[in-house]
Amino acid sequence: MANRSEEAEYEIDSRRNQQDKSKAGVLDLLLKRPLRWLTMLIEELHWSFFFGVIVVYGVSQGLGKGLSKVSTQYYFKDEQKIQPSQAQIYVGLIQIPWIIKPLWGLLTDVVPVWGYRRRPYFIFAGFLAMISMMVLWLDTNLHLALALSCLVAGSAGVAIADVTIDACVTQCSISHPTLAADMQSLCGLSSSIGSLVGFSLSGVLVHLIGAKGVYGLLGLTAGLVVVVGMVLKESPSRSLGRKHANEKFLDAGSAIWKTFQYGEVWRPCLFMLLSAAVSLHIHEGMFYWYTDSKDGPSFSKEAVGSIMSFGAIGSLVGILLYQNFLKNFPFRNVVFWALSLSVLSGFLDLILVLRINLKLGLPDYFFIVVDEFVSHMISRIKWLPLLVLSSKLCPAGMEGTFFALLMSIEHVGHLMSSWGGGVLLHALKVTRTQFDNLWLAIVIRSLLRVIPIGLVFLIPNVDSNSTILPAEMLTNRRSEGVDTEKIEMTALIRDEA
């Protein structure tokens, strides 16, 4: 009996020890290990660089994107009182600064200001965005044209800060090659957390302080970008003469033209442009319907913000699915199936607008959350192979500029899709209060998504381990090129939804 009692006590002690070890392991995984990792990055890379990544990726882009998207929708609807077709056009207009992002990149690389290539651009970007947001906040009767100018200027401020911090990350990747993956993880983590927080708080803040009040908060976050420019550790660089700077621009243009002459380059670029252009955006029409009290579900501002936060989660899940299960498949196959699923997911909006979900006993909020999650997840899976493919199309010596150019091509496609969606909503007479033909707009948009499926032959039938460009264009490929092994984390800090 004594032996049995001792064995029982021993088993109990063993279980307690195992439970204590498991608790300690969870604590180490969730708290201690991340803290050690962050401390290591601060010590190795300097605290000012760490601060810049958190501010630009986490606050300016991540949090700012979540807050600005919802506030801009309500600003157009409630303050400017414009039609959804107009709002769709203007949303595309706001993204124009991102189309010319390669120009910002060339300026930061070739044109130092007062001997510095990064700090002055952070300061300029921060002041540009801050002043624009403050004008939107303080002016009570701002004309629509001036309001659009401020929104475009604010977008330009974010884009310039984005390309400047990209350059800083590239420089640190060269000087600390063993920490390159850690830096991408830091960038992605900052952006994803910022986006989730921004979307989660956006509806509540718009309800409490209004869309214009949110612009005031965005002005404060832009002020942090100015602080980054003031505290960033950067060694002065030799100022280039005007002749040397012009030669740099001409050399870059010549290399870009030469690269685009290869069919392996221009064909996938054409696919990215056309596939984005024909996938019409009618988000603003759907938003007006979401918030309509007569024909729509009449969602509150808080509900709209929470719905978009589920879209951000769906994007994150799409990235994880691609990274863990799909990245070794040929680009063409992944894009083909993602496009096919995108066609089907587009009809989920039709079920919602025709109120079929209510007949099936599915509440509006639940159905829209699922729709938002699924559509963003598929969109991310569709885009990631193109992102990896783009990294393989960049010639040696100008990887960063050419990669930004390829992303700009897709931005042009999204601009065309946004304006095309606005024209469609206007043609079908979808207004602030009339949604009779919204279902037809959804059908047309969903059917147009079939077109890119017939264009997938433009994508090389290779995987991420293959080489696409000729060998002479890859010689002396510099380390600041986009690393395809880290591209999944890079996707977290891009806005291509």
Side-chain angles (χ1 to χ4, degrees):
M1 296 292 293
N3 291 335
R4 291 182 180 178
S5 61
E6 290 177 359
E7 290 177 359
E9 291 177 0
Y10 177 77
E11 290 180 2
I12 293 173
D13 291 338
S14 298
R15 291 175 182 174
R16 288 176 179 173
N17 290 333
Q18 291 177 355
Q19 291 176 353
D20 292 339
K21 289 181 180 180
S22 62
K23 291 179 181 179
V26 172
L27 182 64
D28 181 71
L29 180 64
L30 297 180
L31 184 61
K32 294 182 179 179
R33 193 179 300 178
L35 288 177
R36 288 196 299 267
W37 177 65
L38 293 175
T39 303
M40 179 271 295
L41 289 178
I42 294 174
E43 292 175 351
E44 294 288 336
L45 301 173
H46 199 266
W47 67 268
S48 63
F49 170 79
F50 181 87
F51 177 69
V53 169
I54 297 297
V55 169
V56 177
Y57 287 134
V59 179
S60 178
Q61 288 189 42
L63 181 68
K65 173 188 173 184
L67 294 179
S68 64
K69 184 171 183 178
V70 177
S71 62
T72 299
Q73 286 181 321
Y74 276 102
Y75 179 75
F76 283 151
K77 181 175 182 286
D78 297 337
E79 298 288 339
Q80 296 292 343
K81 300 187 184 303
I82 61 177
Q83 300 295 339
S85 57
Q86 294 176 286
Q88 192 67 64
I89 298 290
Y90 297 151
V91 167
L93 189 66
I94 295 171
Q95 299 305 314
I96 286 181
W98 291 86
I99 294 176
I100 57 175
K101 185 179 173 182
L103 175 61
W104 313 132
L106 282 173
L107 288 175
T108 60
D109 286 337
V110 178
V111 186
V113 179
W114 298 314
Y116 293 96
R117 294 192 299 162
R118 313 302 179 204
R119 297 176 64 180
Y121 287 96
F122 278 125
I123 294 174
F124 172 73
F127 273 118
L128 180 63
M130 182 170 59
I131 294 172
S132 303
M133 294 298 103
M134 289 301 177
V135 171
L136 287 169
W137 174 39
L138 296 175
D139 197 314
T140 55
N141 295 307
L142 194 62
H143 189 273
L144 178 60
L146 292 176
L148 278 174
S149 300
C150 289
L151 289 171
V152 172
S155 178
V158 177
I160 295 171
D162 170 76
V163 77
T164 308
I165 197 64
D166 282 348
C168 293
V169 172
T170 298
Q171 285 182 315
C172 288
S173 298
I174 296 171
S175 59
H176 300 79
T178 58
L179 297 178
D182 296 280
M183 282 184 273
Q184 293 293 348
S185 298
L186 176 65
C187 297
L189 186 65
S190 302
S191 181
S192 59
I193 292 176
S195 295
L196 287 175
V197 173
F199 281 120
S200 300
L201 295 178
S202 58
V204 177
L205 290 175
V206 171
H207 175 74
L208 293 176
I209 60 177
K212 294 169 68 68
V214 173
Y215 286 138
L217 291 178
L218 291 173
L220 297 177
T221 61
L224 292 176
V225 178
V226 177
V227 176
V228 171
M230 293 178 176
V231 303
L232 183 69
K233 182 182 178 181
E234 181 186 8
S235 301
S237 59
R238 182 174 59 87
S239 180
L240 297 175
R242 179 176 298 179
K243 182 178 179 180
H244 194 184
N246 291 337
E247 289 177 354
K248 285 281 189 180
F249 280 109
L250 291 175
D251 290 343
S254 176
I256 289 172
W257 173 249
K258 181 180 178 181
T259 304
F260 272 113
Q261 290 179 340
Y262 286 92
E264 295 83 355
V265 176
W266 68 260
R267 280 193 291 265
C269 291
L270 180 62
F271 174 83
M272 287 190 289
L273 175 65
L274 295 179
S275 64
V278 300
S279 300
L280 299 185
H281 290 174
I282 56 172
H283 301 316
E284 302 310 309
M286 293 299 298
F287 167 74
Y288 277 63
W289 181 80
Y290 286 162
T291 55
D292 186 72
S293 58
K294 178 183 176 183
D295 297 322
S298 188
F299 284 138
S300 65
K301 298 178 176 67
E302 296 88 341
V304 171
S306 65
I307 288 170
M308 292 187 178
S309 67
F310 279 98
I313 296 174
S315 295
L316 180 58
V317 171
I319 293 169
L320 296 176
L321 287 175
Y322 181 81
Q323 180 179 356
N324 290 290
F325 302 107
L326 301 173
K327 66 179 181 180
N328 292 322
F329 286 89
F331 299 133
R332 186 183 296 176
N333 293 354
V334 177
V335 173
F336 172 82
W337 289 109
L339 287 171
S340 301
L341 292 174
S342 179
V343 174
L344 297 177
S345 67
F347 286 101
L348 292 176
D349 288 333
L350 183 64
I351 295 175
L352 185 68
V353 169
L354 295 179
R355 319 305 280 147
I356 297 175
N357 62 296
L358 296 180
K359 297 177 182 178
L360 298 174
L362 299 174
D364 287 329
Y365 182 80
F366 172 80
F367 193 84
I368 293 177
V369 163
V370 172
D371 183 7
E372 192 80 3
F373 179 91
V374 171
S375 61
H376 279 76
M377 180 184 69
I378 294 173
S379 176
R380 193 61 62 180
I381 293 174
K382 178 188 69 175
W383 181 63
L384 276 168
L386 300 176
L387 183 66
V388 179
L389 175 61
S390 297
S391 71
K392 291 182 167 294
L393 302 179
C394 301
M398 54 177 305
E399 297 90 344
T401 300
F402 199 82
F403 186 80
L405 177 62
L406 296 179
M407 295 300 97
S408 296
I409 291 174
E410 182 133 352
H411 274 293
V412 172
H414 286 296
L415 174 66
M416 294 170 65
S417 71
S418 184
W419 287 357
V423 172
L424 178 64
L425 292 173
H426 179 74
L428 295 179
K429 295 181 172 54
V430 177
T431 67
R432 295 170 54 88
T433 56
Q434 296 293 326
F435 305 97
D436 294 340
N437 292 326
L438 182 58
W439 70 271
L440 183 56
I442 295 171
V443 171
I444 294 173
R445 178 207 62 183
S446 301
L447 292 178
L448 284 175
R449 290 182 178 181
V450 177
I451 295 176
I453 297 177
L455 300 175
V456 291
F457 69 91
L458 295 171
I459 302 175
N461 195 25
V462 297
D463 57 28
S464 59
N465 300 313
S466 303
T467 300
I468 299 175
L469 290 180
E472 63 269 17
M473 300 189 67
L474 299 175
T475 54
N476 298 322
R477 194 172 179 104
R478 300 186 304 181
S479 57
E480 65 261 36
V482 183
D483 190 341
T484 57
E485 291 296 324
K486 308 176 189 81
I487 202 72
E488 294 84 6
M489 290 309 302
T490 307
L492 282 166
I493 60 177
R494 307 291 178 196
D495 181 20
E496 300 291 335

